[in-house]
Every structure is written in structure tokens, then in C-alpha cells.
Amino acid sequence: RGRAGAVLGNGLPEIYPPEHAALADRLAAAGGFLLTEYPPHTPPLRRHFPARNRLISALAQAVVVVQAGLRSGSLITVGWALEQGRDVFVYPGPTDGPHYTGCHKLIREGATLVTCAADLLESLAAPLSRNLSAEPPPIDPRLAEGAASPEEIMERTGLSASLALRAWVRRAETG
């Protein structure tokens, strides 16, 4: 069973952006982890984030891209994932949305299309599928209404990353 974690593009003890400090506290309280390869008090410099994405993909069994423009950091993560032999899955967004052009490019280039959690589970190994097969808990639809990303649902509801992603995908499926 996996653990939730966050990979930082800066040194501890600072959390960047600062408004994610409460999320970092919740993560630690739930037995999760914060990981950084930078010395204490290293500032969050722009060049640190592509390197951070290398660690994110290394920690994952697979990478799922839900939203990515053509110049998205998600595409950097995909590059690292492919180099590390990780599977890449893409959830397609609206064809007229600029925040999804990177997703559509990845699909054209051969990434695996997923439209629901079942698609992803079919492709992954059995141990992971057992961990993700449970239905996400019901959430007040007003909390997820208008959320632009799974991260926003996480912040509004306190759900874990995997549950927030499934809630977001379910909301997208049901319109």
C-alpha cells in the first residue's frame, strides 16, 4: 500500500507556496512524507521544479496526466517517467481548452488514454488496483462545484490525492 507524499522544489522547513503549509501539516499527520533533495532553507528557484518532477515520477508506478498545456510541467514529468520506464496515462479534456493541449499531444504520441478509474485499474498491477478499487466517499457537490483541478478538490474537502482525483474524474464523467 502506498503512502501520500509531496516532493518540494526547495529546502525545508519552508513550504512553497506558503498557502500549502496546512496541506503539508495534514499530510504529515496522516503518516505521509515531504521529500526534498535541497539543503535546508534553499529557496524555490524556477530551475528546481523540473528536477523535482524527476523525483515525482521515480516515486510513482505510473504517471497520470489530467491537465496539461503545451508548456506544462506535467510534460516534463512525463519525459522523466518515460526515461524511468514508467507507464503514462492521459485523461483527455475538452478539445477547445488550452489547458488540455498537452494531454491531447501525449495521446497522439501514444500515451494510454484513460476516461475513468476503471481504465487505469485495468492497466495497472493487481496490488495497486486493490488499493484504488474502493469508491471515494461522498462529498458535498457544492465543495467540488467549479473546481478546476483535483488539487482544488483536495484543498476544499480534505480528501487524499487519489480520492480527490477520482471525485474529479467522476464529476467530469457525470457532467
Side-chain angles (χ1 to χ4, degrees), residues 5 8 35 50 83 88 119 123 125 155:
L8 307 177
L35 177 68
E83 190 172 305
V88 175
D119 292 347
S123 300
E155 289 172 13

Side-chain angles (χ1 to χ4, degrees), residues 96-109:
D96 60 348
H99 300 295
Y100 298 94
T101 53
C103 293
H104 301 144
K105 180 179 184 288
L106 290 171
I107 292 167
R108 286 192 309 275
E109 292 175 351

Side-chain angles (χ1 to χ4, degrees), residues 19-175:
E19 55 269 20
H20 288 174
L23 178 59
D25 290 343
R26 285 198 322 262
L27 185 63
F33 64 90
L34 296 176
L35 177 68
T36 182
E37 61 184 330
Y38 299 104
H41 306 289
T42 301
L45 302 176
R46 184 179 200 135
R47 69 179 182 266
H48 292 175
F49 292 91
R52 176 208 56 183
N53 293 3
R54 176 187 92 256
L55 296 176
I56 292 170
S57 60
L59 290 168
Q61 179 178 349
V63 171
V64 180
V65 180
V66 176
Q67 185 177 32
L70 285 176
R71 296 179 47 92
S72 169
S74 296
L75 300 182
I76 294 170
T77 307
V78 166
W80 286 114
L82 292 172
E83 190 172 305
Q84 296 161 343
R86 304 295 190 255
D87 292 325
V88 175
F89 299 92
V90 180
Y91 181 83
T95 57
D96 60 348
H99 300 295
Y100 298 94
T101 53
C103 293
H104 301 144
K105 180 179 184 288
L106 290 171
I107 292 167
R108 286 192 309 275
E109 292 175 351
T112 303
L113 172 72
V114 293
T115 59
C116 62
D119 292 347
L120 183 61
L121 295 176
E122 281 179 27
S123 300
L124 295 175
L128 182 59
S129 66
R130 281 195 305 274
N131 288 338
L132 296 179
S133 63
E135 290 295 312
I139 60 172
D140 183 337
R142 294 170 297 179
L143 293 174
E145 193 172 273
S149 67
E151 290 84 3
E152 201 171 322
I153 291 175
M154 251 174 55
E155 289 172 13
R156 291 182 188 181
T157 63
L159 290 173
S160 68
S162 63
L163 292 178
L165 176 61
R166 285 186 288 175
W168 188 78
V169 168
R170 177 171 295 123
R171 190 197 70 193
E173 289 173 343
T174 59

